[in-house]
């Protein structure tokens, strides 16, 4: 018994000391009280010196926190434990967050730099009139491939993937809308198709791709493709540019049949404490020079038209990440199809996964 | 009287635990399973479970769980036996348990490297002249890694059972003219059967609902009920169907417990 009491006392003592140290650390970083702004963004999705610049210009201290999935982000904002002032969800999440009443409308008069954003990327179906969100970066879904491993073969479309020579070479991404969407696109249907017949047709077509598929994986595809574990990967353009910087042999293509166009967007969630600071931050990020610098670091595609002037030519003219207008017209943004239709997509995806070689 | 009061007082934490962490969650799972995706009360999820997709998935799960348990047992029994014969048993046992302290995810990622096209396993195959093979994303790699992860849980109970075995039984069998094989078959194995049973339970039941490894190691080429539950909860957010699959898993687990534990200590 005595020993037990001693153990408990030690644990309590250690906890108290640790609590005291955390408190001191927080205070020395100016985390408690004062003029602070909590930004909730994806990991490694902002140039670090931009935060310093913002802090110097405005005197607002930025606390930068990261998440790795939209779902995790939404759960944390729903719980409301932390006062997040700015968050960066993907477009399909915005619709959900608006419906769940988790976002507050933006005051456009406090965002003069909004004029920098390309008209094409404003007023999109997930948030008409940009009442709640401003696009931060955008991209596509496409094919990363290694021409060296394929004897110089060139891939330009989804239908090229059905080539018999590509046996066991493809890594698919583990996402129902991406994979079923690829089937739909290859049949020239819309990515937002909800016609069950079309969906089943797409699934049947995907089943015939099975011999070429090596695996259906998540984030680890970056590692696998960079290590030349497979010659072809289906993934988002952002991940693609990351993989390509690891392994220079790789190339990326937006399939000619069309594909998905996605957006990550800045929003102000319900948990906001520093509304003025949040607007100031969003406006700052929309500044042409800041956005150019940020884009160079993150290397995703920026919706900021004015920023393109300040960016290196070879980056702006890279059709893989800034596709021509003709191709952009074929890209579609995911619409929120509702729970039922999404369930159908996922059921079909599950059935497709169970299809054996 | 006083004795009885004491017993009740001490049993409070136990009952609280059982109510909050065992009974309540199971009831909640049951409750959620009765709602369809739109939140209406219906039995449609149970009907859906008996479609070819989910029945196939159930069969798959059982087949892979069986293979994992079988191979674990195949390697664990001789290992445990050997351990009881060594000089520093506890040390050797510790060495086998230590890897299970490392996070599962970390070990899975390590295998991505080892089994990769340019990984250590293929380098070895090449040096001995077999040539490089696809190891990652196959049934072999899935079973191998699962067995690697579960085997300490199989070794432990068998080791304990073997360790407790009274050596005079072996001597007696020997004196009565039994061969080594007969001694094992008629004396050692029956006496350690309880250890084998609990080892099988601890391996088979979690193996039935494995999910993360199915993506990392087998690249979604193996789909188990666990994967389906994860999908329904996290991606589709159809908690009803996810719960229904969980209900069936719970039923299967009770059945397995009943089957393997039925004749415990029966004469």
């Amino acid at each position: 018994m005595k020993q037990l009491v001693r153990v408990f006392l030690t644990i309590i003592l250690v906890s108290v000391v640790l609590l005291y140290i955390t408190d001191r650390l927080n205070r020395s970083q100016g985390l408690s009280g004062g003029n602070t702004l909590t930004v909730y963004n994806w990991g490694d999705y902002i140039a670090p010196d931009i935060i310093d610049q913002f802090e110097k210009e405005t005197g607002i201290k930025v606390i930068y926190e990261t998440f790795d999935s939209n779902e995790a982000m939404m759960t944390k904002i729903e719980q409301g434990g932390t006062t997040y002032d700015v968050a960066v969800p993907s477009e399909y999440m915005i619709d959900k967050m608006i419906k769940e009443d988790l976002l507050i409308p933006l005051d456009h008069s406090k965002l003069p730099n909004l004029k920098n954003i390309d008209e094409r990327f404003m007023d999109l179906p997930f948030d008409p009139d940009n009442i709640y969100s401003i696009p931060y970066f955008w991209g596509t879904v496409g094919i990363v491939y290694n021409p060296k491993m394929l004897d110089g073969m060139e891939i330009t479309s989804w239908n090229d993937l059905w080539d018999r020579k590509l046996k066991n070479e493809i890594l698919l991404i583990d996402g129902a809308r991406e994979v079923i969407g690829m089937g739909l696109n290859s049949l020239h249907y819309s990515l937002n198709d909800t016609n069950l017949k079309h969906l089943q047709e797409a699934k049947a077509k995907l089943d015939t791709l099975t011999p070429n598929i090596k695996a259906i994986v998540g984030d680890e595809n970056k590692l696998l493709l960079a290590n030349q574990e497979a010659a072809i990967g289906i993934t988002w353009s952002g991940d693609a540019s990351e993989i390509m910087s690891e392994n220079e042999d790789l190339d990326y293509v937006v399939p000619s049949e069309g594909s998905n166009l996605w957006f990550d967007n800045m929003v102000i969630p319900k948990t906001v404490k520093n509304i003025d600071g949040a607007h100031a931050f969003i406006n700052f990020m929309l500044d042409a020079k800041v956005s150019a610098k940020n884009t160079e670091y993150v290397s995703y595609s920026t919706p900021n038209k004015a920023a393109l002037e300040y960016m290196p030519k070879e980056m702006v003219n890279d059709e893989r990440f800034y596709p021509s207008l003709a191709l952009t017209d074929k890209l579609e943004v995911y619409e929120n199809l509702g729970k039922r239709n999404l369930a159908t997509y996922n059921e079909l995806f599950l059935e497709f996964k169970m299809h054996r070689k | 009287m006083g004795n009885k009061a004491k017993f009740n007082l001490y049993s409070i934490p136990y009952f609280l635990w059982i109510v909050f962490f065992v009974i309540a969650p199971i009831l909640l799972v049951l409750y959620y399973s009765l709602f369809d995706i739109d939140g209406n009360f219906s039995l449609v999820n149970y009907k859906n479970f008996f479609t070819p997709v989910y029945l196939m998935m159930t069969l798959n799960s059982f087949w892979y769980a069986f293979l994992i348990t079988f191979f674990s047992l195949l390697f664990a029994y001789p290992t445990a036996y050997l351990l009881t014969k060594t000089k520093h048993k506890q040390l050797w046992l510790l060495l086998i348990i230590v890897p299970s302290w490392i996070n599962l995810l970390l070990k899975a990622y390590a295998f991505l490297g080892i089994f990769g096209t340019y990984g250590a396993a293929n380098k070895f195959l090449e040096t001995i002249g077999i040539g490089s093979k696809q190891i990652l994303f196959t049934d072999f790699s899935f079973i191998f890694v699962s067995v690697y992860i579960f085997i300490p849980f199989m070794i432990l109970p068998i080791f304990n059972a073997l360790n407790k075995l009274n050596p005079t039984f072996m001597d007696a069998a020997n004196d009565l003219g039994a061969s080594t094989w007969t001694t094992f078959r008629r004396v050692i194995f029956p006496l350690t059967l309880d250890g084998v049973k609990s080892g099988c339970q601890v391996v088979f039941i979690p193996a039935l609902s494995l999910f993360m490894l199915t993506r990392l190691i087998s690249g979604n080429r193996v789909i188990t009920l666990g994967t389906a539950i994860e999908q329904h909860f996290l991606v589709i957010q159809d908690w009803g169907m996810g719960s229904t699959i969980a209900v069936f898993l719970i039923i299967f687990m009770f059945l397995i417990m009943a089957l393997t534990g039925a004749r415990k200590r029966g004469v």
Side-chain angles (χ1 to χ4, degrees):
Chain A
M1 194 64 189
K2 236 183 195 168
Q3 225 170 359
L4 207 65
V5 172
R6 213 178 296 158
V7 169
F8 270 116
L9 279 179
T10 325
I11 292 175
I12 290 171
L13 202 74
V14 169
S15 314
V16 169
V17 170
L18 284 176
L19 257 177
Y20 175 74
I21 294 175
T22 354
D23 186 55
R24 283 298 294 265
L25 275 177
N26 280 346
R27 219 167 277 186
S28 68
Q29 288 177 345
L31 290 190
S32 41
N35 196 5
T36 64
L37 186 79
T38 312
V39 177
Y40 199 28
N41 197 352
W42 299 82
D44 204 24
Y45 207 29
I46 194 167
D49 44 338
I50 282 181
I51 296 181
D52 293 341
Q53 195 186 335
F54 175 75
E55 286 179 338
K56 236 177 254 162
E57 279 181 24
T58 58
I60 297 172
K61 174 95 198 147
V62 173
I63 302 163
Y64 189 75
E65 283 196 33
T66 61
F67 56 85
D68 55 13
S69 83
N70 279 297
E71 286 71 20
M73 177 231 32
M74 181 160 156
T75 315
K76 274 201 108 175
I77 286 178
E78 256 178 333
Q79 285 167 350
T82 319
T83 56
Y84 296 112
D85 295 301
V86 178
V88 187
S90 303
E91 86 285 332
Y92 73 94
M93 216 59 194
I94 303 252
D95 200 72
K96 246 187 206 168
M97 292 176 87
I98 294 173
K99 286 203 177 106
E100 306 250 325
D101 207 18
L102 291 174
L103 303 180
I104 64 165
L106 303 171
D107 183 351
H108 286 209
S109 69
K110 285 183 190 160
L111 304 170
N113 284 336
L114 198 56
K115 63 177 193 307
N116 291 342
I117 299 277
D118 193 330
E119 280 292 313
R120 288 191 291 154
F121 302 126
M122 296 286 286
D123 193 19
L124 292 163
F126 57 87
D127 181 20
D129 293 329
N130 292 77
I131 296 173
Y132 298 96
S133 68
I134 308 289
Y136 180 61
F137 279 114
W138 64 277
T140 51
V141 170
I143 306 167
V144 188
Y145 70 107
N146 190 332
K148 271 196 186 161
M149 285 171 79
L150 298 173
D151 307 320
M153 186 177 163
E154 205 182 335
I155 291 174
T156 55
S157 68
W158 290 123
N159 279 303
D160 284 349
L161 297 178
W162 269 264
D163 193 319
R164 288 209 176 166
K165 276 184 280 177
L166 302 179
K167 198 165 167 23
N168 214 10
E169 287 290 6
I170 303 175
L171 289 180
L172 290 183
I173 194 82
D174 191 8
R177 286 207 77 170
E178 283 71 25
V179 174
I180 300 285
M182 162 185 160
L184 286 169
N185 268 153
S186 76
L187 294 164
H188 301 280
Y189 292 135
S190 160
L191 279 180
N192 296 312
D193 208 324
T194 52
N195 183 332
L196 191 60
K197 243 192 198 153
H198 292 172
L199 289 172
Q200 274 163 346
E201 213 180 306
K203 190 246 162 196
K205 175 145 190 200
L206 286 169
D207 283 345
T208 63
L209 184 66
T210 318
N212 287 359
I213 296 170
K214 186 160 197 178
I216 304 168
V217 290
D219 267 341
E220 56 285 2
N221 70 346
K222 289 191 231 173
L223 180 98
L224 295 168
L225 286 165
N227 289 345
Q228 312 199 344
E229 199 64 56
I232 299 172
I234 310 303
T235 191
W236 296 279
S237 57
D239 283 356
S241 77
E242 212 171 298
I243 303 167
M244 283 156 67
S245 66
E246 297 248 331
N247 186 335
E248 288 182 353
D249 293 342
L250 293 168
D251 204 352
Y252 178 75
V253 62
V254 182
S256 57
E257 294 98 335
S259 180
N260 164 238
L261 181 67
W262 54 261
F263 291 89
D264 286 331
N265 313 273
M266 293 184 277
V267 298
I268 302 184
K270 262 266 142 76
T271 52
V272 65
K273 236 183 167 177
N274 190 347
I275 292 196
D276 286 333
H279 280 97
F281 183 80
I282 293 176
N283 193 47
F284 177 80
M285 293 310 293
L286 292 175
D287 178 80
K289 276 185 190 162
V290 171
S291 175
K293 203 161 147 199
N294 195 28
T295 309
E296 263 184 72
Y297 176 84
V298 179
S299 78
Y300 281 40
S301 313
T302 180
N304 197 318
K305 208 175 181 179
L308 297 179
E309 273 177 46
Y310 299 96
M311 282 164 50
K313 275 259 148 33
E314 67 269 21
M315 209 169 171
V316 181
N317 293 335
D318 191 340
E319 289 232 339
R320 297 173 301 187
F321 298 105
Y322 293 93
S324 65
L325 283 176
L327 186 55
T328 323
D329 280 344
K330 287 194 195 158
L331 301 176
E332 285 177 276
V333 180
Y334 289 142
E335 285 162 25
N336 188 354
L337 302 176
K339 250 188 180 178
R340 258 207 193 264
N341 286 320
L342 281 183
T344 313
Y345 268 76
N346 279 288
E347 289 282 325
L348 287 170
F349 186 46
L350 207 59
E351 277 176 47
F352 160 66
K353 281 183 185 171
M354 292 195 39
H355 189 88
R356 305 292 295 201
K357 277 190 200 187
Chain B
M1 188 67 182
N3 212 355
K4 212 176 172 186
K6 223 180 212 170
F7 167 77
N8 283 336
L9 203 63
Y10 282 138
S11 61
I12 287 175
Y14 173 75
F15 282 117
L16 281 180
W17 178 272
I18 293 287
V19 168
F20 281 112
F21 297 116
V22 179
I23 297 176
I26 292 181
L27 287 180
L28 270 177
V29 167
L30 263 175
Y31 174 78
Y32 276 117
S33 73
L34 297 174
F35 292 90
D36 70 4
I37 191 163
D38 297 320
N40 303 317
F41 182 85
S42 87
L43 288 172
V44 69
N45 293 328
Y46 286 88
K47 209 180 97 199
N48 278 346
F49 189 83
F50 290 100
T51 51
V53 183
Y54 289 103
L55 290 180
M56 196 61 213
M57 217 182 283
T58 314
L59 274 180
N60 264 342
S61 304
F62 269 89
W63 172 240
Y64 284 108
F66 166 76
L67 285 178
I68 292 165
T69 317
F70 175 76
F71 284 110
S72 299
L73 183 61
L74 195 68
F75 289 103
Y77 203 100
T79 313
Y81 190 74
L82 190 81
L83 281 178
T84 55
K85 299 278 170 254
T86 52
K87 218 172 171 190
H88 307 281
K89 310 181 208 193
Q90 296 302 333
L91 175 75
W92 291 112
L93 190 65
L94 187 75
L95 285 180
I96 285 181
I97 296 169
V98 163
S100 64
W101 295 350
I102 299 167
N103 186 296
L104 182 68
L105 201 59
L106 219 57
K107 287 190 280 192
Y109 265 93
F111 274 109
L112 278 186
I114 295 171
F115 282 161
T117 316
Y118 307 99
N122 264 324
K123 284 233 173 77
F124 175 73
L125 284 182
E126 258 167 47
T127 9
I128 61 170
I130 294 179
S132 151
K133 289 248 179 336
Q134 187 190 341
I135 306 176
L136 206 59
F137 309 129
T138 59
D139 282 359
F140 166 78
S141 63
F142 176 62
I143 302 217
F144 184 92
V145 176
S146 308
V147 168
Y148 163 77
I149 281 160
F150 283 123
I151 212 164
F153 304 106
M154 186 67 102
I155 291 178
L156 267 178
I158 297 178
F159 172 82
N160 284 334
L162 280 168
N163 209 22
K164 269 190 288 184
L165 206 63
N166 190 338
T168 52
F169 288 150
M170 267 90 90
D171 294 339
N174 213 2
D175 288 348
L176 294 171
S179 66
T180 329
W181 171 240
T182 316
T183 314
F184 174 77
R185 204 165 50 92
R186 305 290 295 268
V187 181
I188 304 178
F189 191 72
L191 283 173
T192 54
L193 200 60
D194 273 344
V196 173
K197 275 182 183 170
S198 56
C200 286
Q201 276 181 7
V202 200
V203 172
F204 191 85
I205 291 176
L208 204 53
S209 56
L210 260 183
F211 66 96
M212 203 192 56
L213 286 181
T214 56
R215 191 187 86 193
L216 280 174
I217 301 296
S218 68
N220 275 318
R221 303 262 50 138
V222 176
I223 298 287
T224 59
L225 292 174
T227 328
I229 295 180
E230 191 212 8
Q231 284 267 320
H232 278 103
F233 272 87
L234 292 181
V235 187
I236 318 180
Q237 297 188 330
D238 180 0
W239 289 27
M241 192 63 216
S243 302
T244 307
I245 303 171
V247 167
F248 280 101
L249 263 181
I250 293 170
I251 295 172
F252 294 145
M253 285 168 189
F254 272 121
L255 284 178
I256 294 158
M257 295 281 268
L259 282 177
T260 51
R263 273 182 293 149
K264 217 177 179 182
R265 308 232 171 262
V267 178

